[in-house]
Amino acid sequence: MAVTGPQKTVLQTVSVVVLMGGLAWASVPFYDWFCRVTGFGGVPQVVGGGGDNILDQTIKVRFDGNLNSGMPWSFKPVEREMEVRIGETALAFYEAHNPTDRPIAGQASYNVTPYSAGAFFDKIDCFCFTEQVLAPGETVQMPVSFYVDPEIVNDRDGKYVHTITLSYTFYEIDLPEGYAALDAETATDLN
């Protein structure tokens, strides 16, 4: 059976719509992967361990903490900034507090500015890799372990970076299954 003019046009239109929908669907995970691999957009690199090459040159790292609208926690860096040797593993802490009468789960998104430093800011371990659940009234200090890759001093743009800001934004997420039952139990106890 041959496809006629109008049928061919409809078939081509449907094909284009399906193709465009597929590309739109795939663009978000592809962009996320691209940013994590290249450091584009200030996304830090995730590494398995510290570096071997520690330079005498230092760099200032500033810490910033924010909350997405509607997130009831308080969240801030314990230390606002630190001076670290390039290549040296450093440890910083952020503090979160749940002032409510219910458990709340949160997830942190992060970035680094200036964006050119993202490819050189290497995280070894971070509270942002997993969801965090705080019980009612609970306060916790959450660590982030990192180093600045010595290659930053050889990079065309990176060699002019003297201060890096690591910024986190916490947003509320659904409670994990075990905590959801606890939340329901807490709500029943309050009534």
Side-chain angles (χ1 to χ4, degrees):
M1 176 177 157
V3 178
T4 62
Q7 290 173 331
K8 186 175 182 181
T9 302
V10 169
L11 183 61
Q12 288 174 336
T13 303
V14 168
S15 297
V16 168
V17 169
V18 169
L19 176 66
M20 291 303 202
L23 290 174
W25 176 80
S27 66
V28 172
F30 178 75
Y31 182 74
D32 181 60
W33 169 82
F34 175 77
C35 289
R36 290 185 190 283
V37 168
T38 64
F40 182 77
V43 175
Q45 305 302 297
V46 178
V47 295
D52 297 332
N53 185 17
I54 299 173
L55 306 179
D56 289 332
Q57 186 176 347
T58 62
I59 194 162
K60 186 182 295 185
V61 180
R62 291 187 178 151
F63 305 99
D64 179 48
N66 302 288
L67 296 169
N68 193 34
S69 65
M71 177 57 143
W73 290 359
S74 63
F75 175 65
K76 64 182 181 185
V78 172
E79 190 175 350
R80 282 286 193 207
E81 66 182 37
M82 65 174 55
E83 188 95 7
V84 297
R85 290 174 48 201
I86 296 175
E88 180 179 41
T89 300
L91 181 63
F93 290 89
Y94 280 76
E95 184 177 278
H97 173 70
N98 177 3
T100 71
D101 59 358
R102 64 184 176 89
I104 296 177
Q107 181 73 49
S109 60
Y110 54 88
N111 73 340
V112 169
T113 54
Y115 292 150
S116 59
F120 304 101
F121 194 90
D122 296 336
K123 286 186 180 182
I124 300 167
D125 196 17
C126 181
F127 61 89
C128 61
F129 295 162
T130 59
E131 63 190 21
Q132 304 295 319
V133 179
L134 271 63
E138 183 178 14
T139 300
V140 295
Q141 288 196 354
M142 301 174 291
V144 57
S145 176
F146 66 92
Y147 70 95
V148 178
D149 190 323
E151 284 302 311
I152 195 169
V153 300
N154 299 322
D155 184 71
R156 181 173 48 101
D157 297 322
K159 64 184 173 185
Y160 299 109
V161 174
H162 302 290
T163 302
I164 297 174
T165 301
L166 175 61
S167 182
Y168 290 96
T169 301
F170 250 109
Y171 54 94
E172 188 172 356
I173 59 173
D174 291 335
L175 282 170
E177 199 169 299
Y179 288 97
L182 176 65
D183 188 31
E185 188 177 297
T186 304
T188 304
D189 291 346
L190 293 175
N191 292 331

